[in-house]
Amino acid sequence: LKSTTALFWFFVTSSTTRALQQQQHYPIRRTLISSFSSSTTRFWNQQQQSNILLRSSNNNYYNIGSSSFTNTNTKIRSLLTTRNMASSSNNEGEKKPKSVRKTPARKAKQPKVVDEKEVVITTKSSKRKKKVTKEKESKEIVTSTKKKKEVKKKETPKKRKRTTTTNDVSSSTTNKKVKTDNKETPKEKVKGVKKPKSKNVDDDISTTSSSKKDTTKKKKKKDHQRLTERDILPKLWNNDDDSSSYTLRICSWNVAGLRAVLRNHPDTLPNLVKEYNIDILCLQETKLQELHLDDPKLQIRQALEGYDSYWSCSTAKKGYSGTAVFVKKRRSQEEETSEKNDDDTKGDDNEVEDSSKTTANDNANPLLSDKDFVKNLLPTDVSYKMGITEHDSEGRLVIADFPLFTLINCYVPNSGQKLERLEYRTEKWDKDLLAFAESKRTKNPVLWLGDLNVAHTNLEVWNDGAKHLPKQAGVTPQERASFQSQLDENGYIDAFRQLHPTAQGCYSYWSQRAGNREPNKGLRLDYFICSPELFDDDEAKVIARDSYALHNVVGSDHCPVVLELQIKK
């Protein structure tokens, strides 16, 4: 009996160890199973079919289980871990298993694939069971991916900005409705309303492009540097060949500092006078003192050869205001012949050539050879004051009395950025200037000209209607009303607006800081104000014929303006 029992247990242990070694090659300790019956063999056969081996979380044992085994309501009572327990085989498995000594287990590789739908995880301490299905996990993954795709679909239409093409239009016509969680896309605001189908692809392109243009127009700001048109003025007077009258050209220009013009643009004044055949040149804002006039380095008095110059400088402030008048010298034929004989002893050859050119231009009209007529082109008296100390200290006037008219070169005070001199300008200066002009008008017609620092009509402003204009110097309602009262009180006439009543964009001042000259965003601040006698064709010997601006002449923030007077014999 002893031999048979030993053989039996040897056969059982050998068969069980082989079966365990075949289960995915996991490292399992050799054990003895007490009170082993024939059901153990069935269990290990079923275990080979199920292929389930899991590692416990608290200890390093492997729990083996299957659905078929649980249905038989059989249990493994205990597992023994040591080979020395083989000698206790006589106990026949009735006693409880001894406590198992814990030894550190090797790290085992987890199985790559698990075919079962449900996995049972047991722990020794809590003895709880948690069931997690793969089907639920897969469903959660699918739902999460769907949500991510839907979020991307909602965000992509806002980010996309591309121009429509024929291919895009064709694809959009085939796939008009795109559903994303039953919500409207930003491109189709009203989904329920059906749009009329376009017969041609071009119609679709035009509609899509027009809708995009509308959105872009709202986003874009207004272009500050848009161009303002300038009307091309017709030439109203051309009488150079007429021997019964002479065209006298008067030019007015705010140079904003004469020294800067002579230094940066030394040929500007000579070319201006020569090209346009200017007889009288009036300058404003020269910013000179009397010391500068006699400085041998500057040679300001000799800035224009062949012209007599008259200067008015500010004594109240240095480098402030200032006016000047240049009048072309006139010579009779007898004086010219006597001077030509002495040309070799006087000056250089270049100066002789220049003087001969000026005399040739003067002699183009036969009236210039008449001494009596030439006297009408030369001033008989020149003064620099209005007679009021408050106005005369800033050098703002040069008054030239000609035999047939009186010329007043005037630089009107600016009201200032904060309008600190607005009351002085409108209540004192404008009224005193008008009274002074009326006193001169008793003898001859009066012409006052220069930078008058006012844009008195809507046509004189490029941005008429802007909110800031009533607070801007030169465009305030007080200045406009004061200037208009000067014109209406005694019938004085703005020569340019009288000759070109509808001309637009003909400005004479542009802000250099803002770079407004190229886009022609300016104001018309330079005027020729004539007494009504200068527009009387029947009786007057001096008649205003044309007025225009020289926009091509550069050197200041103003441009020169010209008035042409017809002087009859």
Side-chain angles (χ1 to χ4, degrees):
L1 291 172
K2 289 182 180 179
S3 62
T4 54
T5 55
L7 289 171
F8 173 75
W9 286 112
F10 177 77
F11 175 77
V12 170
T13 55
S14 62
S15 62
T16 54
T17 53
R18 288 176 184 176
L20 291 172
Q21 287 177 359
Q22 291 178 1
Q23 296 299 318
Q24 296 182 0
H25 305 285
Y26 283 103
I28 304 175
R29 299 183 182 87
R30 295 179 180 179
T31 59
L32 291 174
I33 304 173
S34 63
S35 65
F36 205 86
S37 63
S38 63
S39 61
T40 58
T41 57
R42 295 178 183 177
F43 167 71
W44 293 115
N45 291 330
Q46 292 175 356
Q47 186 62 25
Q48 288 179 0
Q49 295 177 0
S50 61
N51 294 326
I52 298 175
L53 288 171
L54 291 174
R55 181 180 176 181
S56 64
S57 60
N58 294 332
N59 50 22
N60 293 323
Y61 293 103
Y62 289 85
N63 298 324
I64 304 168
S66 65
S67 61
S68 61
F69 180 73
T70 55
N71 293 329
T72 57
N73 295 322
T74 61
K75 296 181 181 180
I76 300 173
R77 293 182 180 180
S78 62
L79 296 174
L80 301 177
T81 59
T82 59
R83 292 182 181 180
N84 297 325
M85 296 299 292
S87 61
S88 63
S89 60
N90 295 325
N91 295 330
E92 296 178 353
E94 294 179 357
K95 295 180 181 180
K96 293 182 180 180
K98 293 183 180 180
S99 61
V100 180
R101 186 176 64 181
K102 296 181 180 180
T103 57
R106 295 179 183 177
K107 293 182 179 180
K109 294 182 180 179
Q110 294 180 357
K112 293 182 180 179
V113 179
V114 180
D115 296 331
E116 293 296 330
K117 293 182 180 180
E118 294 183 355
V119 178
V120 180
I121 301 172
T122 62
T123 59
K124 187 175 180 180
S125 62
S126 61
K127 295 182 180 180
R128 295 177 182 177
K129 294 182 180 180
K130 296 181 181 179
K131 295 183 180 180
V132 179
T133 60
K134 279 189 174 183
E135 294 179 354
K136 290 181 180 180
E137 291 178 355
S138 63
K139 286 180 181 180
E140 290 177 357
I141 293 167
V142 171
T143 53
S144 63
T145 54
K146 284 183 179 180
K147 288 180 180 180
K148 289 180 181 179
K149 289 181 181 179
E150 291 172 358
V151 172
K152 288 181 180 179
K153 286 180 181 179
K154 291 178 182 180
E155 293 177 355
T156 49
K158 296 180 181 179
K159 293 181 181 179
R160 289 180 183 174
K161 290 183 181 179
R162 61 178 185 178
T163 56
T164 57
T165 58
T166 55
N167 295 326
D168 295 334
V169 174
S170 62
S171 62
S172 64
T173 54
T174 55
N175 299 322
K176 286 183 179 179
K177 295 180 181 180
V178 179
K179 295 182 180 181
T180 57
D181 293 339
N182 295 327
K183 291 183 180 180
E184 295 178 359
T185 58
K187 289 184 180 179
E188 296 179 2
K189 294 183 180 179
V190 182
K191 190 175 181 181
V193 180
K194 294 183 179 180
K195 296 180 181 179
K197 295 182 179 179
S198 60
K199 295 180 181 179
N200 297 326
V201 178
D202 296 334
D203 297 333
D204 293 336
I205 295 169
S206 62
T207 54
T208 54
S209 62
S210 62
S211 63
K212 288 186 177 181
K213 285 179 181 178
D214 295 336
T215 56
T216 54
K217 283 180 181 178
K218 292 179 181 178
K219 292 180 181 178
K220 288 183 179 179
K221 294 182 180 180
K222 293 183 179 179
D223 187 7
H224 177 68
Q225 294 299 332
R226 71 178 188 274
L227 297 174
T228 56
E229 296 181 356
R230 180 187 294 128
D231 293 344
I232 298 174
L233 302 179
K235 190 171 179 59
L236 301 179
W237 180 252
N238 188 4
N239 197 28
D240 293 336
D241 297 333
D242 188 6
S243 60
S244 62
S245 63
Y246 176 77
T247 302
L248 182 72
R249 293 179 178 87
I250 304 172
C251 179
S252 173
W253 190 17
N254 183 325
V255 293
L258 183 59
R259 285 178 293 174
V261 173
L262 297 177
R263 180 177 63 254
N264 299 327
H265 307 279
D267 297 331
T268 299
L269 291 179
N271 292 337
L272 171 64
V273 168
K274 184 177 180 181
E275 183 177 357
Y276 296 98
N277 196 14
I278 302 299
D279 296 297
I280 302 172
L281 177 62
C282 300
L283 302 181
Q284 301 90 36
E285 201 174 1
T286 58
K287 298 182 180 180
L288 296 176
Q289 300 177 23
E290 293 182 357
L291 296 174
H292 299 142
L293 300 177
D294 298 328
D295 191 345
K297 293 182 180 180
L298 298 176
Q299 295 182 355
I300 292 176
R301 293 188 185 273
Q302 293 78 26
L304 287 178
E305 295 181 359
Y307 286 80
D308 294 325
S309 60
Y310 306 94
W311 306 87
S312 178
C313 301
S314 173
T315 58
K317 295 181 182 179
K318 294 181 180 180
Y320 179 72
S321 186
T323 52
V325 173
F326 295 86
V327 180
K328 184 183 287 187
K329 296 178 181 179
R330 303 295 177 178
R331 303 170 185 175
S332 63
Q333 290 182 350
E334 295 178 357
E335 292 176 351
E336 288 177 2
T337 54
S338 62
E339 289 181 358
K340 284 181 181 180
N341 294 328
D342 298 334
D343 285 339
D344 295 333
T345 58
K346 292 182 180 179
D348 298 332
D349 294 336
N350 294 329
E351 294 179 357
V352 174
E353 290 178 0
D354 293 338
S355 63
S356 64
K357 289 180 181 179
T358 55
T359 54
N361 293 328
D362 291 341
N363 291 329
N365 193 319
L367 290 176
L368 297 177
S369 61
D370 188 357
K371 291 182 181 181
D372 295 333
F373 184 81
V374 169
K375 290 179 181 179
N376 295 328
L377 307 179
L378 298 174
T380 57
D381 187 19
V382 177
S383 59
Y384 308 97
K385 295 181 180 180
M386 190 187 297
I388 302 173
T389 56
E390 188 177 5
H391 307 320
D392 296 338
S393 61
E394 295 182 356
R396 295 185 177 274
L397 294 175
V398 175
I399 304 101
D401 293 323
F402 290 85
L404 299 178
F405 65 95
T406 298
L407 183 146
I408 303 174
N409 182 18
C410 180
Y411 180 41
V412 175
N414 193 329
S415 297
Q417 293 183 353
K418 297 181 180 179
L419 304 179
E420 61 272 11
R421 302 193 74 184
L422 178 61
E423 185 178 359
Y424 164 74
R425 183 255 171 88
T426 56
E427 298 297 331
K428 296 181 180 180
W429 172 271
D430 288 348
K431 294 180 179 180
D432 294 339
L433 178 63
L434 180 62
F436 179 76
E438 285 294 310
S439 65
K440 290 288 185 180
R441 188 179 171 184
T442 56
K443 299 179 180 178
N444 290 319
V446 174
L447 167 66
W448 88 72
L449 57 93
D451 181 6
L452 305 187
N453 271 319
V454 64
H456 74 290
T457 64
N458 298 334
L459 295 175
E460 325 306 337
V461 186
W462 76 272
N463 57 346
D464 181 60
K467 294 181 180 180
H468 68 280
L469 289 181
K471 297 180 181 180
Q472 181 179 344
V475 200
T476 60
Q478 296 88 339
E479 290 170 318
R480 286 183 168 185
S482 178
F483 183 76
Q484 191 64 38
S485 65
Q486 287 179 331
L487 300 179
D488 296 339
E489 187 172 349
N490 296 305
Y492 285 94
I493 299 171
D494 177 7
F496 177 83
R497 194 51 66 191
Q498 179 71 18
L499 297 169
H500 305 282
T502 60
Q504 296 181 355
C506 299
Y507 308 124
S508 62
Y509 165 79
W510 304 268
S511 175
Q512 289 183 343
R513 294 180 181 178
N516 288 342
R517 184 155 189 167
E518 291 184 1
N520 193 28
K521 297 179 179 180
L523 304 171
R524 190 171 78 90
L525 302 179
D526 301 89
Y527 296 81
F528 294 96
I529 306 301
C530 304
S531 59
E533 294 83 7
L534 296 176
F535 284 91
D536 189 357
D537 293 341
D538 298 332
E539 299 180 358
K541 291 185 177 182
V542 181
I543 303 171
R545 292 298 185 182
D546 198 1
S547 181
Y548 47 87
L550 304 177
H551 299 103
N552 297 327
V553 180
V554 181
S556 172
D557 53 359
H558 290 249
C559 75
V561 292
V562 178
L563 177 67
E564 293 184 357
L565 295 177
Q566 181 189 9
I567 299 178
K568 297 180 180 179
K569 184 178 179 180

